[in-house]
Amino acid sequence: VSATSRPDGATKLAGAATYGEDVELPGMLWGALVMSPVPHGRLRSVDLAPARALPGVIAISAPDVPSLVDGRQGDPDRPPFPPDHVTYLHQPIAAVAAPSRPLARAAARSVRVTVDPLPVASDLDALFPEWPESKIDDPSRVAAHVLARRGDVERAFREGETIVAETYRTASVHQVALEPHACVADVREGVWRVRTSTQSPFGAREDTASILGLPEASIVVEGTWVGGGFGGKGAAFLEPYALLLSRAAGRPVRLALTYAEEFRLGRTTLPSVIRLETAVSKGEITGRRVRLLLDVGTSLPGRDFATGYSIGFLLGPYRTPAFEVEGYAVRTNKPPFGPHRAPFAPQAVFAVESHLESVARAAQLDPAAFKARHLWREGDRTPFGQRVLPFGLPSALESARATATRWRKDAPAGRGVGIGLGFWSTSTGAGGEARVTLTPTALVVVQGEREIGSGSVVVGLAQVVARRSGLPMEAIRIEHRDTAGAPFDAGVFGSRTVGALGRAIDEAVVQILHRLGDRVTPPGPVTLEFRDGHVMVVHGALRRPLAELLSPTEAAEGGLSAEGKHYGQGGEIDESLVRDGAFYPYTDFTGAAHVAEVEVDRETGSIRVRRYAAFHDAGVVLDLPSARAQIEGGVAMGLGAALTEEAIWSDDGRLENAGLVDYRIPTLGEIPPIEVHFIEGYPGAGPFGAKGLGEPPIIPVPATIAAAVRDACGAHVTELPLSPDRVAQDLKLR
Amino acid sequence: VKPPTVRLSINGQSRELAAVPPDERLLDTIRWRVGLKGTKEGCRTGECGACTVLREGKGALSCLVLTHDADGATITTIEGVGSDPVGAQVRTAFETAGALQCGYCTPGFVMALTGLLRERGRGAPIEELLEDLGGNLCRCTGYSTIVRAARSAREALP
């Protein structure tokens, strides 16, 4: 076993890992969705008769739902099938199940849907040509509005020596997990069971219960291996449809998206328009105005946190004495906005970092020094009045500046070097619980999550146990149960797995060690060791097999058990600053400074990234290979968002590039060498001072590339991605 | 008319598959008729490489092959690649380099690299090898560990 091999490596390399796509049950039918033919319209009729006439085909639509859920009423704001009104192209309006995949597809196509089309809202600029000069007052368009102010902003702008105002635009980007959404439902004897590729079995259960009006206790969600999540598999999606079909058919039903459907229906980052204005006097930022238009598509009630959370990142991790921030979450005829690895942060950071670069240049200041001077330090207050916890970003920036200086010296002529900073707060506030049993031969953790790829479950949780107990990895088993058998956990999202669920597990391990400490003579602290397949309790110079310390009851139960819980608390913001909507405190402070060297073809505008370095404050790193791997992967994903990735929504609400040829993610040859460095000494809220690392690596990448491109050729592109046509166009105008 | 029988050798085992519809894809035959789910379904349009298998020892995208067109073929999937000395080497290289995360693209990468190394041997320049591996997509790793695995698998060839 090498230092880099993973506990799940052998299973996955043998082709023996069962993902949501791979689940097969006896007698299983194949499901398919019937989708809206228009992006917006009044549904006149859905005629299922042609589908039902096919052999063995089950078909359901809105009128069938009440009887399938025994007359219960789900959340009226998000019915599984819209009763009379469709709001995005390909919105599910009926579902079918058939004995084979081709027949299911044919049955879905045979359903006759009649819709009266309505006008389509899609492009933000077309919808609000006068914004930000005029307010948006159409309540049917505004899903959420947030507004906060601090200090005398007007005065800062009236008296500012340098004023810079810019508008940035960012594209819709997709998660592109290689495994499409897939699940198999099996409803029988009052139990609604679904096996699914999900980042949150308990979240999927809660959503499904709310959508269908069922009690949570009647639903059992069993997670499978997850073929990539990146935020896209966090909430219930296909599960309610598959469950309804299974209930109707009386047999298991598989429902999976095709890859084109994955693009068309996926809940992901949608376009934004960002207006930024900054006033500077005597080299100091004195005032900021931030205005955000964020497309949230067919907004889902209760999920509009996006605006209030995202807009905070547009102030950046910088001291700002006076500010006004205002954001609109705008409804359009697109699928619902959903989380995509560090939701909206790479986009916000691209805008704010590029803007501060412009501000520093306008004030004739060195951009990196200007940013460094304004960066929060531990103990400072954020613009919203929250105290900054240990924060390694200033130190990361110092290291990045040293690297940038070195690279500038030895880079061939025509190349550019840029720095980008990214700040993030991980979701360690979301709660988790776990059950730990120490047996004479292993330490067994029972919990509710499945591995999504990052290693946070199979490596991260095990490393927490190893550090606390002293046991080696081979003596630690991380086991999962379905939602009926596992203690609650919020999900594998928000870079929280190790930081929150890991804390719950750690607490349980500590309880066990304390109890053992009371049983040795004299009582005192103990650690564990693993010898010849047996757990040994180490007390000073003494070692005893665990088996000798167990009571007869414990021995009969298999070992010593404890339950751990962690429900974290965020900081507090100064609510008196908030005029409308909700803003959110940060639970911890993590960040990274990245450096890129690029070469730009001035004719075509195409960009080659030649080398890349990432400096991360990840608190205390628990597993170096996994941490490095997260950064390498996150940087690659960020390069996609910076350079090529753009889900192109037409003015009439169609996704024009629903496939991997036209929506281009990075390929193997396009990734430069990536240096990875960890900035230590700034512990976080996780076990042993760990900070989450799933999301942070993607955040600074578009900003970093934009800065390097500007350094290389002067192009200041204000729209993501930095596609060749945008770069070439900007150079032509310059 | 009942579609004719298709004969395949999969991982060294002969299979006679009756009543295979004429438009069935090799990917679906392997996964749902034979029941070997290690071969992954990604895009189903030949763009991601997750469904790569060996056909007569060479990498092939099973989502683009009609099963009837593969009649008589010798197929190796991830479940059987360990019996091939090159395949075993490739799997070891992926494991030691930690060249996987979610693992969904992994079978396709292992099969594609095994096919390339079998075809070219260790004499092939690494740049060419990596260029040809560029048809397989991975969203988790950023490819760095996969490149490391490819280099060490090539080095380890006899």
Side-chain angles (χ1 to χ4, degrees):
Chain A
V1 179
S2 89
T4 49
S5 67
R6 290 169 50 127
D8 53 351
T11 306
K12 288 175 174 176
L13 283 160
T18 300
Y19 296 80
E21 277 280 342
D22 305 331
V23 177
E24 184 172 8
L25 296 179
M28 180 178 91
L29 300 178
W30 294 70
L33 296 170
V34 178
M35 301 177 190
S36 171
V38 300
H40 191 201
R42 205 156 293 284
L43 210 47
R44 268 208 288 157
S45 67
V46 179
D47 179 8
L48 302 174
R52 286 177 170 159
L54 295 167
V57 169
I58 301 291
I60 58 171
S61 67
D64 302 304
V65 173
S67 68
L68 292 173
V69 295
D70 303 322
R72 292 194 176 85
Q73 172 64 53
D75 180 351
D77 284 337
R78 47 171 183 169
F81 303 114
D84 50 18
H85 192 205
V86 291
T87 54
Y88 59 96
L89 189 62
H90 301 116
Q91 181 172 4
I93 47 183
V96 300
S100 73
R101 167 143 62 182
L103 190 55
R105 293 270 153 203
R109 276 195 307 272
S110 77
V111 172
R112 279 192 292 258
V113 179
T114 320
V115 200
D116 296 328
L118 291 167
V120 176
S122 179
D123 181 66
L124 293 174
D125 286 304
L127 284 172
F128 309 112
E130 305 297 321
W131 182 88
E133 274 65 44
S134 63
K135 297 273 171 195
I136 296 172
D137 48 14
D138 177 357
S140 70
R141 280 279 152 253
V142 179
H145 174 249
V146 296
L147 176 64
R149 285 176 61 93
R150 174 195 195 110
D152 192 342
V153 186
E154 286 71 22
R155 185 176 165 197
F157 279 88
R158 210 168 46 238
E159 298 178 357
E161 292 163 7
T162 307
I163 310 283
V164 178
E166 294 177 326
T167 303
Y168 289 86
R169 289 178 173 77
T170 66
S172 171
V173 287
H174 198 278
Q175 294 94 353
V176 194
L178 265 263
E179 180 201 25
H181 284 80
C183 65
V184 176
D186 189 9
V187 181
R188 60 181 72 207
E189 290 156 13
V191 179
W192 297 65
R193 173 175 280 277
V194 61
R195 299 186 198 186
T196 182
S197 181
T198 180
Q199 292 176 240
S200 175
F202 284 94
R205 185 180 74 166
E206 186 188 338
D207 281 344
T208 302
S210 143
I211 290 167
L212 298 182
L214 297 169
E216 284 194 16
S218 67
I219 301 167
V220 180
V221 178
E222 183 181 339
T224 63
W225 289 103
V226 180
F230 311 111
K233 291 176 181 160
F237 187 11
L238 299 182
E239 293 87 349
Y241 302 115
L243 286 163
L244 289 171
L245 284 168
S246 175
R247 179 73 203 268
R251 291 166 67 174
V253 174
R254 173 186 197 270
L255 188 59
L257 295 183
T258 68
Y259 220 87
E261 290 166 351
E262 187 68 22
F263 273 108
R264 289 175 181 141
L265 299 184
R267 282 112 199 244
T268 184
T269 302
L270 292 170
S272 81
V273 183
I274 301 162
R275 178 77 176 168
L276 297 173
E277 298 167 80
T278 299
V280 172
S281 284
K282 300 183 182 65
E284 292 292 317
I285 295 174
T286 52
R288 298 284 309 281
R289 275 202 203 102
V290 175
R291 306 265 182 278
L292 169 66
L293 279 189
L294 183 61
D295 187 339
V296 294
T298 296
S299 105
L300 293 177
R303 294 191 180 270
D304 294 324
F305 75 94
T307 333
Y309 197 63
S310 310
I311 204 164
F313 291 95
L314 284 165
L315 288 170
Y318 301 108
R319 281 182 292 105
T320 310
F323 71 84
E324 180 178 272
V325 293
E326 181 173 38
Y328 292 93
V330 178
R331 287 196 187 96
T332 63
N333 296 116
K334 301 194 186 78
F337 179 99
H340 172 304
R341 197 175 195 168
F344 197 66
Q347 291 75 21
V349 164
F350 158 73
V352 72
E353 289 293 295
S354 302
H355 174 64
L356 288 185
E357 187 102 10
S358 302
V359 171
R361 285 173 180 230
Q364 295 180 311
L365 299 164
D366 172 61
F370 178 72
K371 288 176 185 175
R373 212 168 50 247
H374 287 86
L375 260 188
W376 301 333
R377 281 166 170 77
E378 182 179 351
D380 283 356
R381 295 276 178 179
T382 69
F384 278 90
Q386 187 181 351
R387 188 171 292 285
V388 176
L389 300 171
F391 189 42
L393 190 51
S395 166
L397 175 56
E398 256 177 63
S399 303
R401 289 175 75 185
T403 293
T405 306
R406 211 171 59 245
W407 286 5
R408 281 203 181 94
K409 266 186 208 137
D410 62 19
R415 298 223 180 147
V417 177
I419 297 176
L421 302 187
F423 158 62
W424 190 241
S425 166
T426 56
S427 308
T428 47
E433 303 177 14
R435 200 160 56 235
V436 174
T437 303
L438 183 63
T439 78
T441 54
L443 189 148
V444 183
V445 176
V446 172
Q447 54 82 47
E449 304 301 349
R450 297 302 308 266
E451 176 59 50
I452 71 165
S454 66
S456 64
V457 172
V458 299
V459 183
L461 298 179
Q463 283 288 356
V464 170
V465 174
R467 282 210 180 205
R468 183 61 69 195
S469 66
L471 289 173
M473 293 290 272
E474 72 257 29
I476 298 163
R477 294 212 312 266
I478 305 295
E479 295 191 351
H480 59 87
R481 299 278 188 280
D482 61 28
T483 53
F488 170 82
D489 185 64
V492 179
F493 61 80
S495 307
R496 66 167 287 281
T497 314
V498 170
L501 180 54
R503 282 276 298 268
I505 292 169
D506 191 31
E507 188 195 292
V509 175
V510 167
Q511 282 179 45
I512 288 174
L513 294 176
H514 280 160
R515 276 150 64 189
L516 289 173
D518 290 340
R519 297 181 189 187
V520 292
T521 9
V526 299
T527 60
L528 305 176
E529 255 185 26
F530 198 52
R531 284 205 172 177
D532 307 324
H534 294 279
V535 173
M536 309 291 289
V537 179
V538 184
H539 174 51
L542 301 173
R543 279 175 177 71
R544 286 178 72 186
L546 173 75
E548 292 176 12
L549 294 172
L550 296 179
S551 72
T553 321
E554 288 162 357
E557 285 168 359
L560 200 52
S561 293
E563 294 191 359
K565 292 184 193 322
H566 176 71
Y567 288 83
Q569 293 195 325
E572 283 181 9
I573 62 169
D574 179 352
E575 290 286 349
S576 72
L577 305 176
V578 177
R579 306 294 174 92
D580 193 18
F583 290 80
Y584 300 87
Y586 304 126
T587 48
D588 64 7
F589 292 76
T590 179
H594 288 189
V595 188
E597 180 181 312
V598 305
E599 190 173 6
V600 182
D601 183 323
R602 289 167 158 273
E603 293 293 314
T604 63
S606 80
I607 300 164
R608 288 279 312 177
V609 183
R610 291 300 178 176
R611 49 182 166 170
Y612 204 94
F615 299 86
H616 277 256
D617 166 17
V620 174
V621 174
L622 296 183
D623 185 70
L624 195 56
S626 305
R628 291 181 61 92
Q630 272 311 285
I631 293 175
E632 290 171 346
V635 167
M637 203 168 176
L639 289 173
L643 297 169
T644 58
E645 290 184 37
E646 177 171 19
I648 300 168
W649 294 94
S650 71
D651 291 347
D652 59 353
R654 270 179 316 108
L655 179 60
E656 291 184 346
N657 54 342
L660 290 165
V661 167
D662 295 322
Y663 183 101
R664 288 216 31 294
I665 67 167
T667 59
L668 189 144
E670 293 163 326
I671 307 298
I674 300 169
E675 281 180 28
V676 173
H677 303 277
F678 290 99
I679 304 297
E680 296 186 79
Y682 304 92
F688 304 98
K691 291 180 182 176
L693 196 53
E695 293 161 306
I698 192 178
I699 295 174
V701 185
T704 305
I705 298 300
V709 167
R710 203 163 172 181
D711 186 58
C713 63
H716 175 211
V717 179
T718 55
E719 187 165 359
L720 280 180
L722 307 179
S723 54
D725 56 315
R726 290 190 181 119
V727 175
Q729 180 66 17
D730 185 88
L731 284 172
K732 210 179 291 170
L733 295 175
R734 220 151 269 282
Chain B
V1 188
K2 241 181 161 182
T5 299
V6 177
R7 287 178 184 78
L8 293 173
S9 161
I10 302 184
N11 300 333
Q13 198 180 335
S14 300
R15 309 251 182 185
E16 274 199 22
L17 305 168
V20 177
D23 58 351
E24 183 164 303
R25 304 169 187 214
L26 183 58
L27 169 65
D28 294 329
T29 302
I30 291 170
R31 284 173 54 81
W32 300 103
R33 207 171 281 276
V34 180
L36 295 173
K37 303 281 179 46
T39 302
K40 296 303 175 209
E41 172 171 338
C43 67
R44 237 178 135 73
T45 47
E47 294 156 16
C48 77
C51 68
T52 308
V53 297
L54 297 186
R55 179 182 179 179
E56 312 305 337
K58 289 183 183 172
L61 297 169
S62 64
C63 76
L64 296 186
V65 177
L66 291 178
T67 305
H68 280 277
D69 289 345
D71 190 16
T74 299
I75 304 291
T76 308
T77 70
I78 187 74
E79 289 91 345
V81 78
S83 325
D84 177 286
V86 176
Q89 202 63 256
V90 169
R91 279 214 311 220
T92 306
F94 268 71
E95 185 161 12
T96 19
L100 57 93
Q101 289 187 30
C102 86
Y104 203 74
C105 71
T106 309
F109 264 103
V110 169
M111 301 315 291
L113 182 59
T114 302
L116 291 169
L117 289 175
R118 279 175 51 103
E119 218 176 315
R120 309 207 182 146
R122 71 176 293 176
I126 184 75
E127 292 73 21
E128 277 178 26
L129 207 59
L130 293 177
E131 196 175 321
D132 287 349
L133 210 50
N136 286 62
L137 297 179
C138 170
R139 191 60 154 167
C140 296
T141 63
Y143 306 103
S144 320
T145 49
I146 293 174
V147 169
R148 262 169 248 157
R151 287 180 193 277
S152 72
R154 176 175 160 275
E155 295 297 313
L157 285 184

